[in-house]
Structures are given as structure tokens and as C-alpha cells.
Amino acid sequence: MVEIKNVNKWFGKNHILKNINLSIKKGEVVVILGPSGSGKSTLLRCINFLEPVNSGEIRVGDDIITDSKIDIYKARRKIGVVFQHFNLFPHLSVLRNVTIGCTEVLRINHVEAEKIAIKYLERVGIGDKIGAYPSEISGGQKQRVAIARALAMHPQVMMFDEPTSALDPEMIGEVLNVIEDLAKEHRTMIVVSHEIGFAKEAADRVIFIDDGEIIEEGTPGDFFSNPKTVRAKSFLDKVL
Amino acid sequence: MDVIEISKHAIPFLMKGLYVTAYLSFISGILAIIIGMIGGICGASKIFLLRWVYSIYVNIFRGTPFLIQLYIVYFVLPSFGITLNVYEAGIGTLAFNSGAYISEIVRAGIGAIPKEQSEAALSLGMTPYLEMKLVIFPQVIRIIIPPLVGQLILLVKDTSVISLIGVFDLIKVGRELAIASGENPIIIYSLVALFYFIICYPLYCFSIFVEKRVRLHYDSL
């Protein structure tokens, strides 16, 4: 579903992504771990072309994202993104935050779009807040709205960029539960997270990135109990 | 002399001036907002040429007095074959003058929207046009209303300068009454000031009202 081949990315002289190769199957849940500044988030941003790559190829479904001839705006519809800071639209109600992509981008009529939105908002447990504005709900609720907003586009791939890092501790659980439920449905998901418990529970595969390189990958069972590299060991020592 | 008597006599004349001032303000205000929106988008654009043209425009109009701009448009342009009547010259110059200030307000407003908003919009598959229309601009409007209204209040008062090329607006009517007709200038000019205030104060109230109602919260700040 997602194919990343020999991807390199520089910011000025900083080599952020070093020859990344990664293949993610349909229905696979991949958790990316790594110290901050290791390039995890940049990799996600390259996958939906918020950041252009310097070399290499990224394919999502049938779309070659890195092809200059591609209609990137159309390709992005198939990639749902949940951000660390939620990034809800503050001038729109919860319901409108979720329907806006359906009505304006997918051109679904409002009645239908509201049905879809309410379905997903109920799914993430905020069916009672549809009229509220983002400033009126908690961080955990906002992040769940952001998840519903991405799901409503029926993406082929869902990407989560540290979805719980900006949350108060007591709200992390409610968001992780939603993401875990999604993982159980065998959606294709890429999750950048520091939540080791979540990775153990939900991931089919764990990727460990450090300094722009994929250092190690494996099943959560293998990776957490028996990391092969020194760098992965020392990272796990710090976070566990 | 009786204040009420003088007022009774002067107010019908001043109302005609008020109408002209309101007309000048309304038309040039609408045009200035349109120019300012287009200008602000150019100023915030990624395209160098647009930013360059924008900066020349803003600097010329903000760097010279409005009165000089008005004189050039009304008295100098005819020698290049462009002859405008007092209304066209006054409204046009004021619209471009205020438009320059509003452009800067709009440009700064666009800059104040966190880039995460743009990323969220693009990630939903929005084109830059949809992003601007649905996500960025609605937020910019909310942010810029107080400074924008402030600029419009200045515009209302700046219409008085147009009287210097011969438009019979509020201040010109007042001056005629005080000087030519020999009415008591204290009463007349006080009435003129009051009439300007009557236009400007509701604008201010509107701005305060909007400011209280639409406050945006960003999580990433």
C-alpha cells in the first residue's frame, strides 16, 4: 500500500532522511519509534508531500507521490493525517470540521456528508459535541474530532504524527483507545508515537528510526524484548 | 444668538454635507477593502513578482501625504490626458490610499494564521484556492476586524481632505456656513464634529462587538 524507495531528504546541509526504504502492506499497522529529531515526522510529511523529497520514490496505493506530474491535491485525499496539535479549524463547529472535506473536496452533498460525519464522531465517542467549537472541548476530544475528520475522507492510509504528545496525561488513554480500535479493523496505519504500551498492543510491525536511518524493524514482541542494535537498546532503556 | 436657532438653520445644510461624506466614505471604503484584500494576498504570496509590485504600491501610498496624492490625481493627471471629476478623483485616491494600509493589515493577518492550519487543509486534499477560501480567509477576517475598522474610521475622517479639491462634503458645508454665511463658527464646527462622530462611533461599536464574539483559539501556540 505504501512503498518508500531510497528516499533522501535534506534541510539545507542537514541530512534528515538517509536512504529510507520501507514497504507497508495493506491492512498493516506500523508504529515508528525514535528519539526526537530523528526524522520520524519528516517521513510522514514526505509521504503526503507536505515536504518534497530530494531523491527517491514514494508510492501510496496507485499514486506515485514523488512524480512531478501527479495531481498531489487529489492524491492527498487518500491519506488521512492526524497531527500532534490536532489542527482543527477553530472557526468551524466540530461537525463542520468533519464535513468540510467531504462537501468541499469530495463534493458529497451536505446531508450525506453529515451522516458520514456523525457516524465517525459517534465512533470516536463525541456524538454529543457536534455543535461545539474546538475551543469548547478538551484536548482529548479535539484529537478524536481530528481522527473523525481524517476518517470521514475514507482514506486508504491513516497517518498519526505523535497523536498523544500534546495531551494531558489523563486524556492520552481515550485517544489511544480510539486508535487501537482502528488498528484492530486492519486499516493501513502509520503511527509515530512514543507510547510503548500502544506499540506493543496495536502494532504489526515496529520501525526504529534514529538520525534519519531505519536502524531496526520487527514485530513488537521481538523488538521490545530483544532489540538487536545498541542504539535501539539505549533508546528503549530511556523510554521504558 | 440662540444655539437651537442656529442649529435649526444649519442642520438641513449639514445633512446634505453628511450625505456627501457618507457617500464618499461608503464607496471608497468598499473599494479600499477590495483593493486591500487583493493587495494583502499579493503581499503574502510566494510569488516574488507579486510581492515586489505590492511593496512598491504600499510604499508609495503610505510614504506620501494623502493630500499630495489627491492633488496629483486631480491636477496633474489631466496633463497626461486623464481627466477625472472631483468625485472620481477623491474616491479613487482615497480607495487606493486606504487600500494600501488595509493591504498591510490583511497581509499581517494571513501571516498570523499558524502554518498548521494550512497543512491540515492541504492534508484533507484541499487545493490552495479552497484552503484560502475555507480555512485561511475566514480566520483572517476574524483577526483583522478591529484594525480594519480602525482603518475605516480613519478613511471616514480622511474624506474631509477631499473638500480641498471642491467637493461639498460635511466639512466644506460647515466652512461655507461659518465663513460665507457668518454663522457662529463654534456652534457650526461643533455640529460638524458631532456629525463625523455619528458616523465613526457605530463603526467602533461594531468592532468591539465582533472582537468579543469571534476569538480564535489555536492549540499549537
Side-chain angles (χ1 to χ4, degrees):
Chain A
M1 176 58 74
V2 180
E3 292 285 341
I4 300 169
K5 284 186 201 148
N6 304 323
V7 161
N8 281 284
K9 171 76 186 167
W10 278 269
F11 283 133
K13 283 184 179 152
N14 290 337
H15 201 173
I16 302 293
L17 295 176
K18 296 172 184 164
N19 214 39
I20 299 281
N21 283 284
L22 182 61
S23 173
I24 296 163
K25 291 193 291 287
K26 191 167 191 292
E28 195 179 13
V29 177
V30 171
V31 171
I32 302 179
L33 297 170
S36 36
S38 57
K40 306 173 302 255
S41 297
T42 308
L43 182 60
L44 290 196
R45 295 165 59 81
C46 287
I47 292 173
N48 80 339
F49 214 72
L50 284 179
E51 292 287 350
V53 299
N54 294 96
S55 70
E57 186 185 284
I58 295 174
R59 185 190 286 268
V60 176
D62 301 325
D63 300 317
I64 302 170
I65 301 291
T66 44
D67 183 351
S68 58
K69 287 190 286 291
I70 195 179
D71 179 352
I72 187 65
Y73 305 112
K74 213 164 178 178
R76 283 194 186 119
R77 298 175 189 177
K78 300 173 194 162
I79 310 170
V81 188
V82 174
F83 298 90
Q84 182 176 359
H85 294 287
F86 337 127
N87 302 357
L88 295 182
F89 305 129
H91 59 300
L92 302 176
S93 69
V94 162
L95 182 64
R96 189 64 182 134
N97 261 279
V98 181
T99 59
I100 195 164
C102 296
T103 60
E104 307 300 321
V105 177
L106 301 178
R107 315 292 304 166
I108 296 171
N109 70 55
H110 280 261
V111 179
E112 202 56 39
E114 287 189 5
K115 275 189 202 151
I116 296 169
I118 290 168
K119 182 178 102 184
Y120 285 108
L121 284 166
E122 281 174 353
R123 185 64 237 264
V124 299
I126 346 199
D128 55 336
K129 295 278 188 209
I130 60 171
Y133 279 78
S135 58
E136 298 161 353
I137 59 178
S138 73
Q141 291 171 328
K142 282 184 215 180
Q143 193 60 303
R144 287 185 281 150
V145 174
I147 292 170
R149 176 173 71 175
L151 287 173
M153 299 291 288
H154 295 122
Q156 296 176 1
V157 183
M158 281 286 283
M159 304 203 293
F160 297 81
D161 186 4
E162 303 198 21
T164 57
S165 304
L167 293 173
D168 292 333
E170 74 270 21
M171 291 170 184
I172 291 176
E174 65 191 57
V175 172
L176 286 183
N177 285 341
V178 169
I179 303 175
E180 272 179 38
D181 283 348
L182 295 173
K184 281 180 197 140
E185 292 174 1
H186 300 290
R187 291 168 181 275
T188 314
M189 288 172 41
I190 310 172
V191 185
V192 168
S193 179
H194 293 299
E195 297 292 333
I196 304 297
F198 167 78
K200 280 181 179 164
E201 192 67 33
D204 295 315
R205 183 156 47 125
V206 174
I207 311 272
F208 175 67
I209 294 186
D210 190 12
D211 201 20
E213 287 178 281
I214 295 181
I215 304 291
E216 194 170 331
E217 57 181 297
T219 62
D222 280 350
F223 179 78
F224 290 112
S225 56
N226 188 20
K228 292 184 218 50
T229 58
V230 180
R231 278 203 261 183
K233 269 186 197 129
S234 76
F235 173 74
L236 287 174
D237 282 344
K238 277 179 213 147
V239 295
L240 282 176
Chain B
M1 277 258 195
D2 188 2
V3 174
I4 295 166
E5 275 305 307
I6 296 173
S7 301
K8 263 189 191 161
H9 170 69
I11 282 174
F13 292 102
L14 290 175
M15 286 303 284
K16 283 183 187 151
L18 179 71
Y19 171 77
V20 172
T21 291
Y23 172 78
L24 292 173
S25 304
F26 185 74
I27 305 289
S28 54
I30 299 276
L31 292 174
I33 290 171
I34 294 169
I35 293 168
M37 297 290 170
I38 297 168
I41 291 172
C42 292
S45 161
K46 290 190 182 107
I47 301 161
F48 173 77
L49 185 69
L50 286 182
R51 288 206 312 275
W52 186 70
V53 173
Y54 165 81
S55 119
I56 291 175
Y57 159 63
V58 167
N59 281 302
I60 286 177
F61 276 91
R62 298 207 311 172
T64 57
F66 174 49
L67 185 56
I68 293 295
Q69 294 161 14
L70 191 61
Y71 282 169
I72 289 173
V73 169
Y74 190 63
F75 297 116
V76 181
L77 287 190
S79 41
F80 294 95
I82 304 167
T83 309
L84 302 171
N85 69 35
V86 281
Y87 284 95
E88 292 163 348
I91 288 171
T93 314
L94 188 54
F96 275 97
N97 179 282
S98 272
Y101 289 91
I102 293 172
S103 295
E104 274 292 272
I105 292 170
V106 172
R107 188 188 60 79
I110 293 173
I113 308 297
K115 71 171 191 333
E116 286 82 357
Q117 288 290 313
S118 155
E119 290 178 352
L122 293 174
S123 295
L124 283 175
M126 289 186 191
T127 56
Y129 168 73
L130 281 181
E131 176 206 344
M132 201 53 158
K133 178 181 132 193
L134 301 170
V135 176
I136 306 297
F137 228 74
Q139 297 184 47
V140 169
I141 295 291
R142 286 164 171 79
I143 292 177
I144 67 172
I145 282 201
L148 179 64
V149 171
Q151 196 56 48
L152 291 176
I153 289 172
L154 285 176
L155 176 142
V156 170
K157 295 185 290 183
D158 277 350
T159 57
S160 61
V161 175
I162 302 174
S163 69
L164 292 174
I165 57 172
V167 172
F168 271 84
D169 71 340
L170 197 43
I171 203 154
K172 178 102 169 169
V173 171
R175 200 162 50 217
E176 294 295 317
L177 286 170
I179 295 168
S181 315
E183 302 278 15
N184 183 332
I186 296 169
I187 294 167
I188 295 297
Y189 287 140
S190 301
L191 283 173
V192 168
L194 181 68
F195 275 40
Y196 276 106
F197 186 78
I198 287 168
I199 305 183
C200 294
Y201 188 68
L203 283 172
Y204 167 77
C205 293
F206 170 73
S207 156
I208 294 297
F209 170 76
V210 171
E211 200 177 354
K212 281 190 184 143
R213 293 273 318 256
V214 294
R215 196 158 283 165
L216 296 174
H217 294 260
Y218 298 105
D219 296 299
S220 48
L221 295 179

